[in-house]
């Protein structure tokens, strides 16, 4: 029996179980950072250049912005942006702020605790105030956003005596709107913006071919498994990447393909499916989902009902990298098993690094923010996202290619940290725990951040609580005389 990580730790606070792919009747995947393996250095550089090009060329920010460097070694996944105050935050497993920056400048611990004395109001749902960096695509935008905050601060400093608080607030509102428009410009339409054009012109520069994973997908179907793809990407972008990585016949590898899925809403809402025929989505919603067809949109409830998966939801496995959309939502709302693809695991233990899989360690750990998985340098306490992944996934591993190294009947010995933050010795290296784990705690566990289906109630409550919190924070900042300084 092999472990997904080298060596099985026999430590207090660890629950063990076994994991076998052959137990699942349907095995599905996300595309980006799951089936598709990006070359992170090249990808980050491209996205940052696209962002700066829009901000200067379209939004008319100063030409001096072009001289700003990409802070790829500064940011990691898992950071939160406070859009109201222009701050960047790292949270521990209790959602308390443990590191804070304003733009590119770090707050002292004293000021950080005065600004954020309470846990952040973020529970895995969309927030009008907080923007979570959960993808490698987000990191370059965070860098561009930090440069804009510094630029606004320079303007405020030069005219502080002339500006009212409302005028200062409006400057930050403007850069928030501009960043949103920047993202939509580059990613909203396959035929506009710089990103997709550059990706199409030099695909081999940005992603890897995946012949081993292709053969593994074929073997899954040969073993009688239904293999499916659910991605938020468009048909055009999926074709571009999958043609290169898996071959022009890539669609034949899957029993079902769902595009523009809008995860996590695919798992939460009741959006309609639209069949794609000859590269065109039909106008009439599909009444029944069938295998060997291509769809846009849709929802997991109809998918499960029409394909008979609802009779055994625990027999459905979904693999993806996005903690909320790919891991927490399908697990908590559909009862599916989930495999979290966490590239950062490669930086925790060399035994998790296979060949050329580790691209750039600077995206897994930085001097400014530490590790993605941990809230301390000693690796004894989980970060917010480390805790979420540990509690909400069935298993986690650095790359799906790890599964391809063994037959589908292979039984992995897995382990998870059961209340380990309360029981682990401070001297133990918690990275030894992270390759895979057993079934997470019951959904009633208050520590598990559950998504909430009632979006209207969430939005209303978030706005009320957010408004109260904003007034409180602004009052504190004004009192401390460090508001946007």
């Amino acid at each position: 029996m092999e472990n997904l990580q080298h060596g099985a730790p026999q430590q207090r606070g660890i629950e063990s179980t076994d994991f076998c792919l052959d137990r699942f009747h349907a095995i599905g995947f996300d595309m980006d950072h799951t089936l598709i393996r990006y070359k992170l250095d090249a990808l980050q550089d491209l996205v940052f250049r696209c962002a700066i090009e829009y901000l200067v060329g379209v939004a008319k920010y100063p030409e001096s912005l072009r001289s700003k460097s990409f802070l790829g070694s500064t940011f990691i996944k898992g950071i939160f942006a406070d859009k109201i105050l222009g701050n960047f935050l790292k949270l521990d497993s209790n959602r308390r702020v443990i590191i804070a920056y304003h733009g590119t400048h770090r707050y002292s611990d004293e000021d950080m605790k005065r600004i954020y004395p309470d846990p952040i109001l973020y529970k895995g749902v969309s927030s009008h105030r907080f923007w979570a960096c959960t993808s490698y695509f987000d990191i370059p935008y965070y860098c561009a956003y930090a440069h804009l905050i510094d630029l606004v601060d320079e303007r405020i400093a030069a005219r502080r005596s002339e500006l009212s608080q409302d005028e200062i607030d409006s400057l930050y509102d403007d850069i928030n709107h501009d960043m949103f428009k920047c993202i939509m410009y580059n990613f909203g339409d396959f035929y506009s913006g710089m990103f997709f054009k550059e990706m199409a012109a030099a695909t081999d520069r940005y992603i890897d071919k995946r012949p081993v994973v292709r053969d593994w997908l074929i073997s899954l179907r040969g073993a009688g498994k239904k293999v499916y793809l659910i991605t938020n990407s468009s048909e055009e972008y999926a074709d571009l990447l999958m043609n290169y990585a898996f071959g022009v016949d890539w669609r034949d590898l899957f029993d079902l393909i769902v595009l523009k899925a809008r995860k996590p809403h695919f798992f939460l809402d009741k959006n309609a499916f639209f069949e794609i025929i000859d590269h065109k989505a039909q106008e009439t919603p599909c009444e029944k989902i069938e295998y060997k067809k291509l769809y846009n949109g849709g929802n997991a409830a109809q998918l499960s009902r029409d394909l008979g998966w609802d009779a055994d939801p625990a027999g459905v496995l979904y693999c993806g990298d996005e903690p909320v959309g790919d891991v927490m939502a399908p697990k908590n709302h559909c009862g599916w098993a989930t495999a979290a693809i966490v590239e950062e695991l490669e930086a925790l233990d060399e035994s998790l690094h296979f060949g050329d899989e580790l691209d750039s360690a600077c995206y897994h750990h930085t001097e400014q923010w530490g590790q993605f998985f941990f809230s301390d340098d000693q690796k004894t306490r989980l970060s917010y996202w480390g805790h979420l992944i540990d509690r909400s996934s069935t298993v986690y591993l650095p790359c799906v290619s790890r599964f391809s190294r063994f037959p589908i009947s292979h039984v992995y010995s897995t382990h998870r940290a059961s209340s380990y933050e309360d029981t682990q010795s401070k001297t133990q290296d918690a990275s030894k725990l992270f390759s895979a784990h057993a079934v997470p705690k019951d959904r009633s566990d208050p520590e598990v951040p559950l998504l909430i289906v009632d979006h209207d109630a969430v939005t209303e409550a978030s706005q009320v609580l957010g408004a109260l919190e904003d007034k409180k924070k602004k009052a504190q900042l004004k009192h401390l005389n460090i508001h946007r300084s």
Side-chain angles (χ1 to χ4, degrees):
M1 183 183 298
E2 297 285 344
N3 294 292
L4 284 178
Q5 178 176 350
H6 177 69
Q10 301 299 321
Q11 298 169 314
R12 188 164 58 99
I14 304 301
E15 295 177 0
S16 297
T17 188
D18 295 332
F19 178 88
C20 180
L21 288 171
D22 205 23
R23 296 172 183 167
F24 302 101
H25 57 82
I27 301 175
F29 305 89
D30 178 36
M31 185 179 77
D32 292 307
H33 300 294
T34 300
L35 290 179
I36 295 298
R37 184 82 178 197
Y38 285 92
K39 300 174 181 179
L40 293 183
D41 287 334
L43 175 70
Q44 303 285 343
D45 177 70
L46 171 60
V47 176
F48 183 72
R49 287 189 288 113
C50 291
I52 297 300
E53 183 60 35
Y54 172 86
L55 292 171
V56 175
V58 179
K60 303 304 180 184
Y61 280 86
E63 283 287 335
S64 60
L65 200 59
R66 294 188 189 276
S67 65
K68 298 297 183 181
S69 60
F70 170 52
L71 307 174
S73 60
T74 300
F75 286 97
I76 59 172
K77 278 168 50 182
I79 304 305
F80 290 81
D82 182 338
K83 295 180 287 184
I84 290 178
L85 301 182
N87 294 339
F88 298 96
L89 316 172
K90 183 175 182 179
L91 309 185
D92 67 11
S93 59
N94 295 313
R95 304 192 313 280
R96 289 190 177 276
V97 178
I98 54 175
I99 301 175
Y101 278 76
H102 179 75
T104 59
H105 306 286
R106 183 164 181 165
Y107 280 116
S108 68
D109 288 347
E110 181 182 10
D111 286 341
M112 174 188 73
K113 291 175 182 177
R114 287 175 180 170
I115 301 168
Y116 301 103
D118 303 314
I120 295 301
L121 293 174
Y122 185 89
K123 295 281 283 185
V125 295
S126 298
S127 168
H128 79 290
R129 177 170 182 175
F130 296 105
W131 167 24
C133 178
T134 58
S135 165
Y136 288 113
F137 285 98
D138 293 331
I139 292 177
Y141 285 110
Y142 264 48
C143 295
Y145 188 39
H147 287 312
L148 292 188
I149 291 168
D150 287 350
L151 182 64
V152 166
D153 286 345
E154 292 172 5
R155 293 175 178 175
I156 293 173
R159 301 177 55 206
R160 183 175 293 277
S161 61
E162 305 171 18
L163 297 174
S164 68
Q165 188 61 51
D166 287 342
E167 288 173 322
I168 292 175
D169 291 343
S170 70
L171 291 175
Y172 283 84
D173 289 339
D174 288 344
I175 63 174
N176 286 327
H177 290 309
D178 288 338
M179 284 307 304
F180 175 77
K181 289 187 287 186
C182 177
I183 294 171
M184 292 307 298
Y185 179 82
N186 280 301
F187 292 141
D189 182 359
F190 184 80
Y191 298 102
S192 67
M194 175 181 169
F195 176 79
F196 292 119
K197 293 177 183 178
E198 177 69 21
M199 186 67 72
T203 309
D204 61 332
R205 182 180 177 185
Y206 301 106
I207 67 172
D208 295 319
K209 288 184 177 294
R210 311 220 69 186
V212 173
V213 178
R214 175 193 165 90
D215 290 343
W216 177 63
L217 294 177
I218 292 173
S219 73
L220 291 180
R221 297 188 68 206
K225 308 302 178 183
K226 295 297 184 183
V227 179
Y228 64 98
L229 172 68
I230 300 176
T231 174
N232 287 350
S233 295
S234 66
E235 181 184 13
E236 294 90 345
Y237 191 53
D239 271 334
L240 173 65
L241 299 191
M242 296 294 285
N243 281 346
Y244 177 82
F246 290 90
V248 294
D249 61 342
W250 70 269
R251 298 187 186 195
D252 295 336
L253 301 174
F254 301 95
D255 295 286
L256 179 76
I257 299 172
V258 179
L259 306 166
K260 291 186 176 181
R262 297 185 67 243
K263 297 173 295 180
H265 300 288
F266 180 86
F267 299 104
L268 309 177
D269 299 335
K270 304 296 182 183
N271 297 317
F273 282 96
F274 296 89
E275 186 179 356
I276 300 174
I277 300 176
D278 296 330
H279 307 290
K280 183 178 180 180
Q282 304 304 293
E283 296 181 359
T284 304
C286 297
E287 294 184 1
K288 185 175 178 61
I289 304 306
E290 302 176 35
Y291 286 119
K292 302 309 294 181
K293 290 189 176 182
L294 189 69
Y295 297 97
N296 267 355
N299 65 88
Q302 181 181 351
L303 181 74
S304 296
R305 182 181 65 250
D306 291 350
L307 299 181
W309 295 357
D310 54 354
D312 181 21
V316 179
L317 175 67
Y318 186 67
C319 309
D321 69 293
E322 211 286 323
V324 174
D326 295 336
V327 180
M328 190 166 70
K331 180 68 178 179
N332 290 346
H333 285 271
C334 302
W336 295 2
T338 55
I341 307 303
V342 188
E343 291 186 37
E344 288 80 4
L345 290 172
E346 295 174 334
L348 297 181
D349 193 322
E350 290 184 359
S351 69
L352 294 174
H353 177 206
F354 295 108
D356 61 355
E357 284 183 6
L358 183 59
D359 188 351
S360 181
C362 73
Y363 302 117
H364 306 327
H365 174 274
T366 70
E367 181 179 346
Q368 292 87 344
W369 298 100
Q371 293 273 7
F372 167 80
F373 246 103
F374 301 100
S375 61
D376 63 341
D377 293 336
Q378 291 73 38
K379 304 177 185 177
T380 59
R381 299 191 67 81
L382 294 173
S383 67
Y384 174 84
W385 295 110
H387 178 78
L388 184 150
I389 292 170
D390 183 61
R391 296 295 181 180
S392 300
S393 64
T394 309
V395 64
Y396 45 93
L397 61 162
C399 184
V400 291
S401 63
R402 192 171 186 87
F403 282 141
S404 70
R405 300 171 68 87
F406 303 100
I408 191 173
S409 59
H410 186 80
V411 178
Y412 300 90
S413 176
T414 69
H415 39 267
R416 68 179 293 271
S418 173
S419 303
Y420 106 95
E421 291 182 290
D422 297 326
T423 59
Q424 284 294 104
S425 166
K426 291 287 185 181
T427 62
Q428 292 174 325
D429 184 355
S431 67
K432 298 302 181 186
L433 306 180
F434 297 124
S435 65
H437 60 74
V439 179
K441 299 175 80 173
D442 186 83
R443 288 180 54 180
S444 62
D445 181 352
E447 292 185 352
V448 181
L450 297 178
L451 288 165
I452 304 172
V453 179
D454 188 348
H455 296 297
D456 292 336
V458 170
T459 301
E460 182 178 357
S462 176
Q463 289 172 346
V464 172
L465 292 172
L468 292 173
E469 187 181 40
D470 296 343
K471 291 178 68 176
K472 177 181 177 183
K473 299 308 181 203
K474 288 182 180 180
Q476 289 172 336
L477 289 170
K478 187 173 292 186
H479 175 70
L480 292 167
N481 195 30
I482 57 171
H483 187 21
R484 285 144 184 173
S485 59

